[in-house]
Structure formats: C-alpha cells, structure tokens
Amino acid sequence: MDISDILTSVSARPSPPAQSLDLQTLTRAWVNERVAPEVLPWPEELMARVMRGVAKLIEQVEEQTATMDPKTNFRVVILQTELERWKFLVRSFVRARIAKIDKHILHYLTPTQRTRLSTSEIQYATTHQNLLHAHYHSSFLAQFPVGLQKLDDTAGGIAMVEVPDAEKAVFVRGLRPDPVRVSVEGTDMDFRVGRGEVVVVRWSAVKSAVEDGDLECV
C-alpha cells in the first residue's frame, strides 16, 4: 500500500454536507465577529452542533491513536488536522467576543444586551465585573461620597458606560441573489448590494443585514 492508496481510502468518505455547512457558517461568524464593532448574537444552535462534532473528532482520535497500523496512523493525522482546524475557529471566535465584552463589560450586562451573550459569557462578564468593582471600591471608590461610587451613573445626562462605536466603517459583501437595500441614517445614501459586491459603510447601516445573514463582513 502506498500513499495514494491511503489518501484514496480517507477521501472516499467525504464530510457530511451538514458538517461542511457548519464549517462555512462558523468561519463566517468568526470573520463577522472580528470585524463588527459590537458583539453579535450568540449562535446557540450552531455552537452546540460544532461542539458535538469536536467531541466526536476527539473520540475518534483517541480510539485510533493506540494502533500501529500505518494506514490508520495516517488517518489519525488527518483527523488531528481537522480537529485543530475546528478548535482554532472556536477559540478565535470566542476570544474575539471576550475581547469586546471586556472592553464594554457594563454595556453588555444591561438587560437589552445580555441576550446577545451565551450563558457562559454572562457568567464570565458578571464575575469579572464583580471583581473589578470590588477592586475599585477597596482602592478608591470607598473614599468618595456614596452618590459618586456608581460606575454606571447617568447623572446630568452623561452616561458613564462606554458603548461600541456603531458608526465605525466596515467592509461587507452581499450574499443574497436579490440585492440588499442599505440606507445610511442621517444621509441621502440609499443603495443596494448584490451578491459578491463589496462596499464600505457604517456598521449601523448594515448591522441588521449582517445579523440576518444577508451580508457578511470581510
């Protein structure tokens, strides 16, 4: 048996279409998350399927690692490579979200924004903020009057909570056969983005279209 026989044996069982679609969707979610200035809604169903697939790949690698069969060992290498690809995407996706949560943690703990986070992210953000508040309080907040100790005060019409920049410019590409209409609020800009077309525009103008899957960030 030579290398071509081994490759033929491995490639004879193509990945299920659903798995390929999940890989494409996860890659798109990762790129969108890295480009968008704010945290996008957590893809609950997608991540559940991805984590089940990763767990299955780990089981397959563990089952075949002990064998000394050259054919099986080469298949293990391919499985390990596939596993690392999935793990890289998942880690990078989560890290991009955590970086934005850390930057605007009080913003994402508000009732309207918590729905964008996963259960684990909410727990992380809550614990992180509690630790920060305890540190600030012991360091300097305790020396202020009670009315000045809040970190999310809105007195005087000025909010202390920093929010993401929704006016940041982003590059997006059309995904739908029918052109997607984009209107920039406060301007007379109103245009359509066809499939494959790339435009640069304010995030606020394309936020809903990206979240709905009509456009993707690039």
Side-chain angles (χ1 to χ4, degrees):
M1 175 178 293
D2 58 19
I3 186 68
S4 60
D5 295 326
I6 298 176
L7 289 174
T8 301
S9 174
V10 173
S11 61
R13 295 179 296 176
S15 300
Q19 184 178 0
S20 300
L21 181 60
D22 283 346
L23 180 62
Q24 181 183 17
T25 305
L26 178 60
T27 302
R28 180 171 293 146
W30 168 52
V31 175
N32 287 343
E33 201 66 65
R34 286 175 57 89
V35 174
E38 62 181 323
V39 172
L40 301 176
W42 175 255
E44 184 70 37
E45 295 182 0
L46 170 65
M47 295 308 295
R49 293 196 304 270
V50 167
M51 297 312 296
R52 286 195 298 268
V54 169
K56 185 175 181 181
L57 278 173
I58 293 175
E59 291 178 0
Q60 292 177 343
V61 170
E62 291 177 345
E63 289 174 357
Q64 300 186 30
T65 297
T67 180
M68 298 302 296
D69 181 7
K71 175 183 175 181
T72 304
N73 283 344
F74 190 81
R75 189 176 293 119
V76 169
V77 172
I78 296 177
L79 289 174
Q80 288 175 328
T81 303
E82 180 72 1
L83 175 60
E84 289 304 316
R85 176 169 65 163
W86 283 98
K87 289 168 62 177
F88 169 80
L89 286 173
V90 171
R91 285 196 299 262
S92 299
F93 175 65
V94 173
R95 285 173 179 168
R97 294 176 62 86
I98 292 297
K100 289 188 279 190
I101 293 173
D102 285 343
K103 187 175 182 180
H104 306 290
I105 194 164
L106 287 175
H107 171 69
Y108 289 115
L109 285 177
T110 58
T112 56
Q113 295 296 320
R114 290 168 71 99
T115 56
R116 292 178 166 269
L117 309 183
S118 67
T119 302
S120 298
E121 288 172 338
I122 293 174
Q123 293 174 350
Y124 165 80
T126 302
T127 302
H128 189 183
Q129 180 56 31
N130 289 340
L131 290 172
L132 280 177
H133 187 273
H135 172 66
Y136 293 157
H137 189 272
S138 62
S139 298
F140 58 88
L141 283 180
Q143 303 174 28
F144 294 171
V146 176
L148 299 178
Q149 294 183 8
K150 296 179 63 177
L151 297 177
D152 56 353
D153 197 3
T154 58
I158 300 177
M160 293 180 61
V161 178
E162 185 180 1
V163 300
D165 182 11
E167 301 308 306
K168 175 184 177 182
V170 296
F171 286 88
V172 294
R173 176 168 50 213
L175 295 175
R176 301 301 184 194
D178 298 327
V180 179
R181 182 178 179 181
V182 175
S183 299
V184 182
E185 186 177 356
T187 72
D188 58 357
M189 292 183 62
D190 188 291
F191 55 93
R192 297 181 181 275
V193 182
R195 174 183 284 178
E197 293 181 346
V198 177
V199 298
V200 58
V201 66
R202 296 177 187 173
W203 169 249
S204 59
V206 296
K207 171 182 174 180
S208 60
V210 171
E211 293 181 355
D212 292 340
D214 297 331
L215 301 173
E216 67 175 351
C217 296
V218 294

